[in-house]
Amino acid sequence: MPPSEIASRVGDHARHLVWSRRQVTPADLSDLHGPVRGLLHERRFASVLPDGVAEAVPTEARDALVAAADRLLAGDWTVLGSPRPDIVDPDWFLDPVTGRRAPQTPLAFAVDHRDERVTGNVKAVWELSRHHHLTLLAGAWWLTGDERYAAVVDAQLRSWWSANPYLSGVHWTSGIELGVRLVSWVWVRRLLDGWAGVSDLFDDNELALRQIAWHQEYLAAFRSRGSSANNHVVAEACGRFSAACAFPWYASSDRWRAQATRELVTALSRNTFASGVNRELATDYHRFVTELGLVALAEGDRAGHPLPDPTRRLLVASLDAAAALLDDAGRAPRQGDGDEGRGLVVEAPDVDPWMTLLDAGAAVFGPLAWWPQVGAGVTGHLVAAVTRPAATPDRPATAPAAFTDAGIRILRTQRRPGEPSLWCRCDGGPHGFLSIAAHAHADALSLEVRHGSVDLFADPGTYCYHGEPEWRSYFRSTRAHNTVEIDGASQSIEGGPFLWRTHTDAVAEPVPGAVHGGAGVSQGERRRSDGATRQTWAAHHTGYARLDPVLRHTRRVTLDPDTGDLQVVDTLVGSSRHTARLFWHLGPEVSATLDGCSAHLSWAGDHGPREAVVELPPQLRWTAHRGETDPILGWYSPRFGEREPSTALVGGAEWTGSLTLCTTLRLQALSKHPGPKPQTAVVPEVPEITLTQVLELPGGRQ
């Protein structure tokens, strides 16, 4: 941490001490009367939706949203994998994971939200107070005029505002939460415009007016800086900008908006590579940050304070990158952390957020011919209704496959009728963003491979942030990814659940014989003798130089687009004796039978049962692991807060000098008479084998 950041954090601590005198407890609220500080006498909500927008929402999207709102009113709701039957009248401080209640009345600056003993699983506590379920209910009222939805929104906002006065409790401990909450309040007010009680809830409600001001005052004083200026600062600036545009009701509104504009423009630029990929290299945060940028763009346009053109172009690049990264089924990569963060929710929960993002992007900027097909939803209509159209030149004519600055390369076969394509994401770039790389994983040179919508070689996901340190560490570790681990250690060294002490940056290597330019052929493709094109990628890293100064891992991946064969060649070079373990993590839908150095895979494909063979390096001793906990190995997290067993193939050996390992994935021909697609793929039980039976690692390390 540089001296300037240390100084700013010391300054924040000093402000905490001064600001502690401003705390308002729930007991103090009854004594709060009189004018709100800085409130203008004349105010109105001018950022309303144009007429006729609701009528243009597609029937299917409308019905899905209303059905979700009805389920919510019936108590059928899940937040980050945990049921919330109390959703109609929630306990804002309850962690459903541990059953603990987070602090409500202490000074926020004194609450250690990183300690589960204090707050429970704080992510689960915070999520409900982002009020995404209230924007959904407000959307249901906007579409139907049904009073039930508005009444619940009214009751819950009053409940939250009363239970969380200024600087009291866990919901004032993180600026990103305040920023996202402000966005939700803006859209609740917009969607409820026309409801008879909306002015009494917002415009003329003393407590609402105080809360809107308190949130903006806090964000103006306590901004994420330095090593924390990642997606958090984008969310904080987006919330403050949105509120200042939609609620210009305070003497400080113009100043707040001007500050937020500068911070948002700067943060979006710093958080984004020139290719449009988010610098955190955690794909879910690419979506989150891009969504926040679109929300802010719409807010500024509606209020007459548009964001500058370079920011618009940056958002277009981010959208095009998002579209290019998706597989044939419209699924995004699972690189790095992902916690389902959202900027605006006005869709049913089962609507894929990536499709929602592209729907909004297509509605505002227009889709390109190579974009995936995206169904029109509620979000696209809403965002487009408040955003001014603008020309967006210089967009790619074909889907980019290489994002060199981000170190991402997508290899894929051509899609044929009745035959899914093989999709492979190669990771050969920076470890993460800023000095702490908060949402990075130790995954240099890892691969993700899918056949259609099925994970063959799977990225395990995230599972958790707080409260389960062993699981947090596993899902970020090298052994949880499809790459090589040396001497039982991860490539990068952890310093905490959101901190890395060392960064393993991978470097792309030139591919001999690669074709540069030419119609339909991109860098990294090689002509075969028969004229077909093989796609090849290569990169290396020296993250293990701390163990051996010359230790180097090089990986070369080649995809034959005709056969679908994928070959991975790993070369390890060192100056002393080391232990290597190569991991191939299979998706939960894939069954595996290990026979020596061959693994036979099977799964339920879109057109019937499918099979593949993985030819494994014979220099290694191979074992299969599934759902093990001592040590943790063989797990997959389908979404934040959930995990399930999956099969991991692990090969290990000791070596000195140079070691070259070749793995080949070969798809088998589709059965001529496929049966009906089963609902789930059954993975056979494998013998319980401990890792020490595979290898005795030096010093007992795992």
Side-chain angles (χ1 to χ4, degrees):
M1 189 179 296
S4 59
E5 184 173 351
I6 294 173
S8 70
R9 291 179 183 266
V10 170
D12 281 346
H13 181 68
R15 276 190 295 277
H16 288 169
L17 296 175
V18 173
W19 279 51
S20 64
R21 289 175 291 213
R22 300 190 187 186
Q23 181 190 8
V24 180
T25 68
D28 296 331
L29 284 179
S30 59
D31 297 327
L32 284 181
H33 296 292
V36 176
R37 187 176 67 178
L39 184 67
L40 302 178
H41 178 67
E42 290 194 14
R43 57 189 177 276
R44 65 187 183 92
F45 186 80
S47 296
V48 297
L49 290 165
D51 294 337
V53 179
E55 290 75 15
V57 173
T59 301
E60 185 177 352
R62 175 193 181 282
D63 291 347
L65 174 59
V66 173
D70 288 340
R71 292 196 302 273
L72 191 155
L73 294 187
D76 179 11
W77 205 251
T78 300
V79 178
L80 295 181
S82 297
R84 289 302 302 252
D86 66 335
I87 188 67
V88 176
D89 184 18
D91 181 343
W92 300 111
F93 303 91
L94 174 67
D95 165 27
V97 179
T98 64
R100 293 191 180 99
R101 290 190 85 251
Q104 178 179 0
T105 57
L107 177 68
F109 305 134
V111 176
D112 184 1
H113 64 257
R114 295 176 178 85
D115 189 341
E116 188 178 84
R117 295 168 299 178
V118 175
T119 64
N121 187 317
V122 75
K123 179 67 178 170
V125 176
W126 279 338
E127 189 69 21
L128 197 63
S129 288
R130 290 188 172 189
H131 293 167
H132 292 318
H133 67 295
L134 299 185
T135 54
L136 184 143
L137 287 174
W141 179 88
W142 174 67
L143 290 170
T144 67
D146 190 327
E147 188 78 13
R148 294 177 304 149
Y149 308 126
V152 172
V153 175
D154 183 287
Q156 290 203 18
L157 283 179
R158 293 180 188 274
S159 165
W160 196 94
W161 289 333
S162 297
N164 293 277
Y166 203 23
L167 303 181
S168 287
V170 70
H171 293 302
W172 290 91
T173 58
S174 176
I176 185 176
E177 304 304 314
L178 277 73
V180 174
R181 202 154 47 235
L182 280 174
V183 171
S184 293
W185 293 352
V186 167
W187 279 91
V188 167
R189 174 60 183 83
R190 177 174 288 123
L191 290 166
L192 290 183
D193 192 68
W195 175 56
V198 70
S199 293
D200 186 53
L201 177 60
F202 278 96
D203 312 28
D204 302 319
N205 182 348
E206 180 181 308
L207 188 51
L209 296 171
R210 291 186 189 279
Q211 284 281 6
I212 294 168
W214 286 338
H215 275 61
Q216 293 180 89
E217 288 173 357
Y218 180 102
L219 292 174
F222 302 105
R223 300 187 292 279
S224 293
R225 302 181 180 89
S227 59
S228 298
N230 50 16
N231 66 88
H232 285 232
V233 74
V234 175
E236 293 162 9
C238 176
R240 197 152 62 107
F241 177 78
S242 296
C245 286
F247 303 127
W249 299 344
Y250 308 88
S252 299
S253 290
D254 287 346
R255 175 171 56 86
W256 288 336
R257 189 191 66 252
Q259 289 176 344
T261 302
R262 291 193 297 271
E263 289 167 9
L264 181 62
V265 167
T266 300
L268 284 171
S269 176
R270 289 178 176 172
N271 274 257
T272 309
F273 286 112
S275 64
V277 174
N278 184 267
R279 287 181 181 270
E280 292 206 66
L281 295 173
T283 319
D284 204 41
Y285 283 96
H286 179 122
R287 178 192 50 73
F288 179 53
V289 167
T290 307
E291 188 173 292
L292 288 168
L294 273 179
V295 166
L297 186 75
E299 209 62 58
D301 280 0
R302 188 57 179 160
H305 302 290
L307 295 177
D309 286 343
T311 301
R312 302 178 91 92
R313 290 194 293 271
L314 179 146
L315 291 172
V316 173
S318 296
L319 287 161
D320 287 337
L325 290 170
L326 303 185
D327 65 18
D328 282 353
R331 292 180 59 212
R334 288 163 53 87
Q335 184 178 14
D337 277 346
D339 65 359
E340 304 175 41
R342 304 296 302 275
L344 172 65
V345 177
V346 280
E347 304 281 0
D350 57 351
V351 176
D352 185 344
W354 284 87
M355 295 299 100
T356 297
L357 173 68
L358 293 182
D359 170 36
V364 172
F365 298 114
L368 295 175
W370 53 263
W371 272 32
Q373 292 295 315
V374 179
V378 180
T379 307
H381 276 73
L382 284 171
V383 174
V386 293
T387 308
R388 66 176 173 86
T392 52
D394 303 323
R395 297 173 68 183
T398 59
F403 300 88
T404 306
D405 46 13
I408 297 173
R409 177 78 162 92
I410 303 295
L411 312 178
R412 68 173 94 207
T413 59
Q414 290 296 318
R415 195 169 188 178
R416 298 184 178 120
E419 176 67 11
S421 69
L422 194 75
W423 173 96
C424 174
R425 174 185 64 84
C426 306
D427 180 355
H431 174 64
F433 185 44
L434 302 174
S435 61
I436 62 173
H439 293 295
H441 290 186
D443 58 357
L445 307 191
S446 65
L447 303 181
E448 247 186 302
V449 180
R450 299 175 189 158
H451 187 245
S453 62
V454 177
D455 291 297
L456 300 186
F457 293 159
D459 185 286
T462 303
Y463 175 56
C464 68
Y465 284 165
H466 304 277
E468 298 179 82
E470 290 185 358
W471 288 97
R472 173 63 171 156
S473 183
Y474 169 73
F475 276 95
R476 305 169 84 205
S477 70
T478 297
R479 77 173 186 270
H481 294 84
N482 297 309
T483 187
V484 176
E485 175 201 72
I486 306 296
D487 292 348
S490 279
Q491 304 155 345
S492 300
I493 301 174
E494 283 185 276
F498 296 99
L499 172 66
W500 292 94
R501 289 166 51 199
T502 66
H503 293 194
T504 297
D505 296 332
V507 179
E509 296 198 339
V511 177
V515 178
H516 298 263
V521 181
S522 65
Q523 184 174 351
E525 296 183 342
R526 304 173 65 194
R527 293 288 190 194
R528 292 192 330 197
S529 58
D530 60 5
T533 303
R534 281 197 181 101
Q535 300 172 32
T536 301
W537 168 87
H540 73 270
H541 79 78
T542 56
Y544 287 113
R546 66 184 190 273
L547 307 178
D548 179 343
V550 303
L551 226 167
R552 176 186 176 111
H553 174 200
T554 301
R555 169 165 280 186
R556 178 199 244 353
V557 181
T558 303
L559 175 64
D560 188 317
D562 289 337
T563 65
D565 288 356
L566 184 77
Q567 185 185 76
V568 182
V569 178
D570 292 296
T571 303
L572 305 172
V573 178
S575 63
S576 57
R577 195 166 185 80
H578 296 284
T579 298
R581 288 196 296 180
L582 173 59
F583 295 86
W584 296 115
H585 295 269
L586 309 181
E589 298 177 68
V590 179
S591 301
T593 302
L594 183 60
D595 181 11
C597 293
S598 292
H600 299 269
L601 313 184
S602 60
W603 64 95
D606 296 332
H607 300 278
R610 294 303 305 251
E611 295 181 346
V613 173
V614 184
E615 298 171 359
L616 300 163
Q619 304 98 313
L620 308 181
R621 181 185 173 191
W622 287 92
T623 54
H625 304 261
R626 180 177 173 81
E628 298 174 11
T629 57
D630 188 20
I632 299 171
L633 187 62
W635 294 91
Y636 179 92
S637 175
R639 59 178 298 182
F640 193 85
E642 298 178 5
R643 67 174 188 258
E644 60 183 288
S646 63
T647 299
L649 305 176
V650 184
E654 292 186 340
W655 99 96
T656 303
S658 177
L659 177 65
T660 298
L661 308 169
C662 181
T663 303
T664 303
L665 171 69
R666 299 186 189 279
L667 297 173
Q668 302 299 292
L670 184 65
S671 170
K672 293 182 180 178
H673 302 288
K677 179 180 176 181
Q679 292 300 308
T680 58
V682 179
V683 180
E685 294 295 324
V686 297
E688 208 172 287
I689 304 173
T690 63
L691 296 185
T692 52
Q693 288 175 294
V694 181
L695 292 170
E696 284 292 341
L697 299 181
R701 284 176 291 177
Q702 297 293 337

